[in-house]
Amino acid sequence: MTNRTKSAARALLLTSLAAGTLLSTGCSLDDILAVDIPGKVAADDLNDPALAGVLVNSVIGDTECAWSNYAAAASHHSDEWIPTSGNLNMREWGQRKMDPQALSGGVLATGSCDSNYGVYTPLQTARFLNNDIFSKLAEFDAGAVPGKAQMQGTVRAYGGWALVALGEGFCSMALDGGPEMQPDQVLEVAVQNFSEAISGAGDAALVTSSYGGRARAKLDMGDWAGAIADAQQVPEGFKFAADRAADLGRRMNYLHRWLNDTNDGISKHGSVADHFRDLTVNDAGELTQNDGMPDPRVPVRTIGNQAFDFSTIHYFTDKYTSRADPAPLTSWEAAQLIIAEASAQMGDVATAVGIINSLRARAGLPEWAAGASASQADVIAAVLAERSRELFVEQGWRFNDMLQYRGSAQQISFLGEPGSIHPNGLDQTGAEYGTVTCWELPIVETNGNENITR
């Protein structure tokens, strides 16, 4: 994040506190920031311990809106949806054309939580405020702020999730105007955030969610044993989600808003991809399509409406039925699949197969009969396939798996690539796909950061 973007983040916090609301993100252009905003709070006014709770809530609110945007954008960019938008920006998301200098690339960089998948600025704002408010809390006398340590743990927990998204979704990253970083370097900072949250948050749900987040970051970095140890701390039935609401743009579940809402004439920018429709499991426990027992984990259907391109039939999922539906960050199911993947990577295929079968049993589905004699490579692929169903359109997992296993024996092709349902580079309407996989560092960063030269 450049100094200019950091200044914007601080200005937005001051303005939102004056209005008595949570932080709202927006454009960081100097001419806009120069406008005199009536009632704007002076920076020194934030040094009031009585505002500690409001400061913490600003981190929570910003991280929740940023994560909702990220999870929706990641799902749209993955192979879970085919592109069906008549809007250029949203169509380029579905067609993998978010060049940093293109329209959609600009929204990726500078869009807010109120825009079509504003991702970079909301995530960087949430991450920056995590650090800024953590430091501000440290300056307050503990006697004036009951639960100060827990508040600091809370902001670290939410900041960790912003860092996970920045580390997973982008090809490279920069923090606070620093040098260009590789994904594992960003994820290491996320691990540090979650570790501080685990030791200080106090709240059981936040601590557990931080174990889940740290397990995910460690899995991404190939720390298999560490990922297993953390994921084992997530109890059965646990789910941690960003709170959403239908009455305010930045509070909406954006996956439902932009992709899944059948009642809005300007939604339906994507339709559930063909290979995620009518999913089944046969008697031998093989994952099939329209051949066996319906898989209840991937509830997909259509009412025959056309999507926003007025050409493609819109298929949607019943996993989200409202713009107010929570946007999950982590869950017991996610943790179990982390254990399964890491175990398989370490050669413990029996544990991985056991978890697959346990999740199948919960869904009332047949066990994977061939798992008992499957190779390590096949078991790893089976875990990824199981996750594609268990966590369908959830938590940005499919996009992450597509990036993590790119170039491996378990590669999951992006739409438009050989091996995908659109192998010839064209979508179902004959429009050409782009080549974007991970998201490039936006031009707003490369142009404004003196430590990055391109």
Side-chain angles (χ1 to χ4, degrees):
M1 181 182 266
T2 63
N3 289 334
R4 185 162 149 189
T5 311
K6 288 190 287 184
S7 297
R10 189 181 294 277
L12 287 163
L13 173 59
L14 298 174
T15 304
S16 65
L17 287 175
T21 63
L22 294 178
L23 175 69
S24 65
T25 56
C27 187
S28 61
L29 299 178
D30 291 338
D31 56 345
I32 293 178
L33 292 177
V35 174
D36 182 27
I37 303 175
K40 185 176 176 181
V41 178
D44 288 345
D45 291 344
L46 297 181
N47 296 321
D48 182 355
L51 290 176
V54 178
L55 294 171
V56 172
N57 283 339
S58 73
V59 175
I60 295 172
D62 262 36
T63 305
E64 288 188 331
C65 79
W67 181 264
S68 177
N69 269 22
Y70 169 75
S75 181
H76 196 171
H77 182 58
S78 76
D79 69 340
E80 292 177 318
W81 306 83
I82 56 175
T84 63
S85 183
N87 172 286
L88 175 61
N89 179 16
M90 296 297 279
R91 189 164 185 85
E92 289 194 341
W93 271 101
Q95 291 175 339
R96 301 196 295 117
K97 294 179 179 177
M98 297 85 67
D99 183 275
Q101 299 189 52
L103 171 63
S104 49
V107 173
L108 169 70
T110 62
S112 73
C113 279
D114 291 305
S115 62
N116 303 357
Y117 303 148
V119 175
Y120 184 76
T121 295
L123 286 171
Q124 283 279 23
T125 299
R127 180 207 60 79
F128 169 76
L129 289 178
N130 152 49
N131 288 337
D132 194 49
I133 292 174
F134 182 90
S135 298
K136 192 169 294 295
L137 288 169
E139 297 170 0
F140 294 154
D141 183 84
V145 183
K148 169 182 165 179
Q150 289 76 15
M151 288 184 177
Q152 288 182 291
T154 297
V155 299
R156 280 298 193 239
Y158 281 93
W161 284 107
L163 286 157
V164 164
L166 290 168
E168 286 186 354
F170 289 84
C171 308
S172 63
M173 187 46 54
L175 305 179
D176 296 319
E180 192 165 4
M181 303 167 68
Q182 295 306 302
D184 279 5
Q185 294 175 292
V186 181
L187 292 166
E188 182 57 46
V189 183
V191 167
Q192 294 168 11
N193 268 246
F194 287 129
S195 296
E196 291 184 49
I198 289 167
S199 63
D203 180 80
L206 275 176
V207 170
T208 301
S209 72
S210 296
Y211 275 117
R214 194 170 73 173
R216 178 167 174 165
K218 288 180 177 180
L219 182 79
D220 291 337
M221 294 188 293
D223 179 2
W224 313 126
I228 291 171
D230 282 345
Q232 287 173 335
Q233 304 304 310
V234 180
E236 186 170 357
F238 181 80
K239 181 166 284 190
F240 190 80
D243 183 53
R244 301 286 82 201
D247 56 352
L248 184 65
R250 72 188 310 275
R251 294 267 291 128
M252 292 179 183
N253 180 316
Y254 265 21
L255 189 142
H256 186 74
R257 168 68 181 87
W258 297 118
L259 295 166
N260 207 54
D261 192 340
T262 62
N263 298 315
D264 189 330
I266 58 171
S267 290
K268 304 187 283 293
H269 294 284
S271 179
V272 173
D274 307 33
H275 57 298
F276 282 105
R277 303 173 193 169
D278 300 315
L279 295 191
T280 50
V281 180
N282 68 19
D283 290 342
E286 298 168 334
L287 299 181
T288 53
Q289 189 171 19
N290 203 24
D291 179 24
M293 183 180 298
D295 193 331
R297 300 171 297 179
V298 192
V300 173
R301 62 191 178 93
T302 182
I303 56 176
N305 286 351
Q306 287 185 330
F308 193 27
D309 62 1
F310 302 107
S311 172
T312 306
I313 296 299
H314 182 238
Y315 283 81
F316 59 96
T317 174
D318 287 328
K319 266 201 166 182
Y320 300 106
T321 60
S322 164
R323 298 178 186 183
D325 284 355
L329 286 87
T330 190
S331 61
W332 175 77
E333 292 83 358
Q336 287 295 295
L337 287 162
I338 287 173
I339 296 170
E341 181 183 349
S343 296
Q345 288 284 1
M346 295 175 70
D348 181 5
V349 296
T351 292
V353 173
I355 289 172
I356 288 173
N357 288 333
S358 175
L359 292 172
R360 296 270 189 92
R362 286 169 55 89
L365 296 168
E367 290 189 353
W368 182 32
S373 57
S375 68
Q376 181 185 25
D378 286 344
V379 172
I380 293 171
V383 172
L384 301 183
E386 206 70 24
R387 182 151 56 211
S388 76
R389 297 192 179 205
E390 189 71 48
L391 300 177
F392 175 61
V393 300
E394 272 193 41
Q395 306 172 38
W397 270 111
R398 182 64 169 178
F399 180 39
N400 188 43
D401 283 344
M402 296 176 82
L403 294 177
Q404 291 290 326
Y405 283 88
R406 191 150 182 83
S408 75
Q410 293 82 22
Q411 175 168 307
I412 305 165
S413 297
F414 281 88
L415 295 179
E417 295 181 335
S420 74
I421 59 171
H422 295 155
N424 63 352
L426 304 176
D427 71 12
Q428 74 282 357
T429 69
E432 187 176 8
Y433 280 102
T435 60
V436 176
T437 54
C438 57
W439 299 325
E440 294 288 345
L441 194 61
I443 196 169
V444 68
E445 185 71 54
T446 57
N447 282 355
N449 186 336
E450 62 184 12
N451 290 302
I452 297 177
T453 57
R454 290 288 175 89

